Amino acid sequence: MGPCINGVCFSADNVLPVPPDVSGVMRILVVDDDELDRMAILRTLRLGGGAHMVTEAATADEALQCFAHGTFDAVLLDYRLPDMDGLEVLRRMNSRRLGSTAILMLTGMDDDDLATQCIEAGAQDFLLKQDLSPRHLMRAVTHARMRHRIELALIESHERLRELAEQDPLTGLANRYFFDQSLRAAIPRTRRYGLNLALLLLDLDNFKLVNDSHGHDVGDQLLRVVAERLCAVIRDGDILCRLGGDEFAILAFQVGQDDSIHLLSERLLAALNVPVEIGGVVLPATVSIGIALCPDNTSDADELFKCADLAMYRAKRDGRNQAHYFSEDLHRQVMRRVQTERDLRAALLHGEFDVYYQPQISVVTGDVCGVEALVRWHHPERGLLLPGEFLDIAEDTGLIEQIGDWVLDRACLDAASAGLRGTSLKVAVNLSARQLQAPGLVANVRRALEASHLPPSCLELEITESVLIADIEESLIRLEAIVALGVNIVIDDFGTGYSSLSYLKRLPISTMKVDKSFLFHVPDGEKDKRLLKALILMACNMGFQVVVEGVETAEQADICHEYGADAMQGFFFARPMSLTDLDAFLRRTAS
Ligand code: C2E
Ligand code: MG
Ligand code: MG
């Protein structure tokens, strides 16, 4: 039987063939390999009344061909066909179904599971052949068609909703959902046709500041201008979206053979490097861009996002307003960071941290007048780690708060312990930015002092200038509360930050620690010497105690003496050492 050739047309009186597009005539495709069954269905249809035009097919292949070339209001599809599983036929018809054809499965088996499978695969009904009466069949077909029409209407409104859901209402750009779908659809295409694509993630620099200082309306307007500028730069066919907040993404196709992505990123940076004026306020609009390539970096959509995100994070870290490509090297660095973060958490649990102490020497007496507590990590695989290898990760992840608290407790206990008690040694503990911002800081300091019975005047807290200036008012309140406990505050790495002297004047500081970088070219560099002298003089004149750190040679020690510093710290006198070594050092130097 060829497609539609064997179609037998029935009118109400079973005589006249009816053209397929005559309205009011139901066009039905009957698919059954058993001729007797087909005849029975045709008879039932006829008896059911109404005008029909029926096409018959005896195999799945014929049925699919008829379906492809004809237009039907309903298909009565036998589940058991010789050449293909009925469900598969249903799926194939479903995938091609354009109009409102209802599909009704027919079977001789009363099987609920099968019925469910058929409905889930897109059938509008599941009928038992033996139960078919003319009225039942006609009603089933009519209801199936109605159901299918409702389904289609639902799908249509779903599509409309999706359109709405795919757009970012603020900028009119595609949103994350659409972008995600596009990326997922694009990746297999690139694989199939040997193409490549680039994912560019863009994040506005310091957008939070704009929102915080100028309000959300201004922030929204800035985002709209940025969207317009990005639109003007991207090429036809590339996809631009706003992922949310101040994050945008671009999917650029067919890249890699030339430096098109480089040029694109340059144009993007240039377009946004022009400040935006909103209501008389001039705002920067620069972005940091992370770029990941498919398939060079990965062919997995989620991975590609992660790669671009890492690259973007790197662009931010490197100073913003720039683009960074993902690379294996970057990946390794990030993995190391991730691993270090994991290890740091374990280290807290397993007690792998330690505190080393570096003596400070009084310029006047030459005696040890204090020690600085410096955290160390006995890493189970990497050995003894210096703070430079893990503190920034600890700071980023917030773990620094727990580590810092532990160091504070440990240092107070050690300072009050037998080895140090009886001397007038002071212990200086470094405070991180996070610790200074933590609401519990003052309570933690009080707790450490109480638990160790260390006199408060023996504790100094070292804070760098930049940390202080970041949130001066809040810092001031906390520092004053700490000073009220009797603890001294030291400005660490003095000279490396951007502190205005008027700020310093307001802070309850006892000591300035001149940064070691000022000693690098001393005594050879004349200018360096003058700078060091000026710094020491200024700090002295402001009434601060002055400690110079990084003293590595006898000449440097002499110069610090000559310039009027109060104390020195550096490898020339002693390196940071364990508590046991410090005990021995103190005994040696005291005798
Ligand atoms: P910092 O507070 O300025 O500490 C002085 C750093 O200079 C120490 O490095 C010390 O070993 C090093 N140093 C001392 N004398 C010399 C010298 O003569 N020459 C040279 N080249 N270096 C010298 P370390 O122990 O690696 O610590 C580095 C930084 O890590 C510290 O700088 C401090 O900012 C931070 N840090 C250390 N321990 C802690 C801690 O418990 N909490 C917090 N938040 N930060 C800490
Ligand atoms: Mg310090
Ligand atoms: Mg320092």
Side-chain angles (χ1 to χ4, degrees):
M1 280 183 226
C4 302
I5 296 168
N6 287 321
V8 180
C9 295
F10 292 89
S11 68
D13 56 3
N14 188 23
V15 182
L16 291 171
V18 185
D21 54 351
V22 172
S23 60
V25 175
M26 186 100 78
R27 295 154 298 184
I28 301 179
L29 174 62
V30 176
V31 187
D32 202 315
D33 58 323
D34 186 325
E35 194 171 353
L36 285 178
D37 277 1
R38 273 203 318 275
M39 295 314 294
I41 295 166
L42 297 187
R43 198 167 44 248
T44 317
L45 280 172
R46 195 165 63 243
L47 292 172
H52 320 108
M53 188 184 81
V54 175
T55 303
E56 289 175 62
T59 63
D61 190 43
E62 275 179 19
L64 289 171
Q65 289 203 45
C66 288
F67 194 79
H69 296 101
T71 308
F72 300 97
D73 299 303
V75 179
L76 296 173
L77 175 60
D78 182 22
Y79 177 73
R80 269 184 203 279
L81 291 170
D83 52 339
M84 200 182 289
D85 177 44
L87 268 178
E88 182 55 30
V89 181
L90 172 61
R91 281 197 197 98
R92 291 192 190 190
M93 285 184 171
N94 226 1
S95 67
R96 290 186 179 176
R97 210 161 12 159
L98 296 173
S100 56
T101 314
I103 302 177
L104 296 88
M105 296 301 287
L106 293 178
T107 150
M109 301 168 288
D110 192 0
D111 180 339
D112 284 346
D113 284 349
L114 183 64
T116 311
Q117 279 182 46
C118 290
I119 300 296
E120 279 173 1
Q124 272 67 51
D125 210 343
F126 183 86
L127 306 172
L128 277 177
K129 285 184 184 174
Q130 51 270 38
D131 284 355
L132 286 184
S133 67
R135 258 187 78 211
H136 179 200
L137 180 59
M138 285 323 294
R139 202 184 290 160
V141 171
T142 312
H143 287 177
R145 293 196 60 209
M146 280 165 62
R147 255 200 310 279
H148 190 46
R149 257 188 240 128
I150 294 169
E151 273 171 31
L152 289 177
L154 272 176
I155 291 170
E156 214 176 287
S157 69
H158 173 78
E159 285 295 316
R160 266 204 303 277
L161 276 177
R162 211 176 72 170
E163 265 169 35
L164 286 176
E166 283 173 348
Q167 215 186 33
D168 166 43
L170 180 70
T171 58
L173 297 180
N175 66 9
R176 178 185 279 273
Y177 173 77
F178 178 83
F179 193 81
D180 227 41
Q181 302 289 313
S182 310
L183 178 62
R184 279 169 213 284
I187 287 181
R189 272 204 308 276
T190 58
R191 212 178 294 143
R192 203 172 314 130
Y193 302 112
L195 305 171
N196 40 34
L197 60 84
L199 171 63
L200 291 84
L201 283 190
L202 296 85
D203 192 288
L204 271 180
D205 296 331
N206 300 318
F207 180 67
K208 190 175 173 306
L209 223 73
V210 173
N211 257 345
D212 289 351
S213 38
H214 301 286
H216 287 261
D217 276 354
V218 172
D220 284 356
Q221 288 184 57
L222 178 64
L223 289 172
R224 276 192 217 107
V225 175
V226 168
E228 279 164 23
R229 291 194 186 170
L230 294 176
C231 266
V233 172
I234 60 162
R235 308 161 311 175
D236 279 352
D238 290 349
I239 296 174
L240 164 68
C241 89
R242 175 169 168 242
L243 292 177
D246 59 343
E247 267 198 338
F248 295 82
I250 295 170
L251 204 54
F253 297 95
Q254 265 146 307
V255 295
Q257 286 84 1
D258 46 34
D259 59 352
S260 59
I261 278 302
H262 177 69
L263 290 177
L264 176 62
S265 61
E266 290 287 300
R267 283 206 305 271
L268 291 166
L269 289 169
L272 295 172
N273 208 5
V274 182
V276 177
E277 199 189 316
I278 296 170
V281 187
V282 178
L283 299 166
T286 63
V287 283
S288 299
I289 307 178
I291 305 170
L293 305 171
C294 168
D296 288 12
N297 299 141
T298 173
S299 288
D300 178 90
D302 292 331
E303 284 291 314
L304 198 67
F305 255 107
K306 277 189 208 150
C307 293
D309 204 39
L310 289 179
M312 198 263 289
Y313 177 68
R314 186 55 192 263
K316 290 259 182 225
R317 274 180 76 96
D318 283 359
R320 304 191 168 97
N321 191 18
Q322 57 188 287
H324 211 290
Y325 282 82
F326 175 82
S327 68
E328 278 311 312
D329 192 40
L330 177 61
H331 189 219
R332 268 191 295 278
Q333 286 172 31
V334 171
M335 290 326 287
R336 194 170 170 92
R337 269 184 87 83
V338 171
Q339 187 60 43
T340 305
E341 186 185 331
R342 230 178 268 146
D343 292 352
L344 272 175
R345 290 180 198 280
L348 273 165
L349 288 176
H350 303 148
E352 290 165 11
F353 292 110
D354 197 357
V355 180
Y356 273 32
Y357 296 94
Q358 187 177 29
Q360 293 172 353
I361 311 297
S362 159
V363 171
V364 181
T365 64
D367 294 335
V368 176
C369 58
V371 290
E372 179 174 10
L374 296 159
V375 68
R376 295 292 182 265
W377 180 5
H378 295 286
H379 193 285
E381 282 131 38
R382 293 161 66 192
L384 186 74
L385 299 187
L386 295 177
E389 298 198 59
F390 59 90
L391 269 195
D392 58 338
I393 301 173
E395 182 81 38
D396 286 353
T397 53
L399 288 169
I400 187 69
E401 284 188 43
Q402 289 172 64
I403 299 171
D405 286 347
W406 180 85
V407 172
L408 179 65
D409 289 343
R410 182 77 262 153
C412 288
L413 284 168
D414 286 349
S417 74
L420 305 180
R421 204 174 16 215
T423 71
S424 55
L425 275 188
K426 281 187 288 192
V427 65
V429 176
N430 291 282
L431 275 195
S432 75
R434 285 241 194 187
Q435 278 176 285
L436 189 63
Q437 282 154 12
L441 174 69
V442 183
N444 289 345
V445 173
R446 194 183 296 122
R447 188 207 54 222
L449 289 171
E450 283 168 6
S452 62
H453 304 294
L454 182 75
S457 59
C458 285
L459 177 63
E460 289 184 331
L461 295 179
E462 294 194 2
I463 303 160
T464 58
E465 293 170 74
S466 45
V467 165
L468 277 172
I469 303 312
D471 193 355
I472 185 86
E473 298 306 329
E474 276 292 308
S475 305
L476 203 61
I477 296 169
R478 300 232 165 88
L479 293 184
E480 270 161 1
I482 290 172
V483 169
L485 296 175
V487 174
N488 292 313
I489 304 294
V490 177
I491 293 287
D492 201 356
D493 304 343
F494 180 56
T496 56
Y498 302 99
S499 47
S500 112
L501 296 177
S502 59
Y503 276 140
L504 293 179
K505 213 174 56 192
R506 292 176 61 197
L507 293 165
I509 307 161
S510 66
T511 306
M512 292 284 189
K513 237 177 145 178
V514 177
D515 189 64
K516 55 180 170 289
S517 58
F518 291 99
L519 280 186
F520 284 164
H521 303 291
V522 170
D524 300 335
E526 265 314 309
K527 273 193 185 156
D528 294 79
K529 271 167 55 180
R530 280 205 293 274
L531 192 56
L532 178 68
K533 187 176 186 179
L535 271 178
I536 295 175
L537 259 179
M538 187 191 70
C540 285
N541 286 340
M542 286 177 82
F544 301 125
Q545 291 283 303
V546 181
V547 180
V548 180
E549 63 181 353
V551 178
E552 294 187 352
T553 63
E555 291 102 309
Q556 289 176 339
D558 289 344
I559 285 172
C560 291
H561 191 186
E562 184 192 329
Y563 292 166
D566 298 287
M568 294 173 285
Q569 179 182 338
F571 295 167
F572 175 64
F573 304 103
R575 289 182 176 255
M577 58 189 90
S578 67
L579 180 66
T580 320
D581 290 346
L582 178 68
D583 260 354
F585 180 86
L586 290 177
R587 263 189 272 277
R588 248 195 341 267
T589 50
S591 56

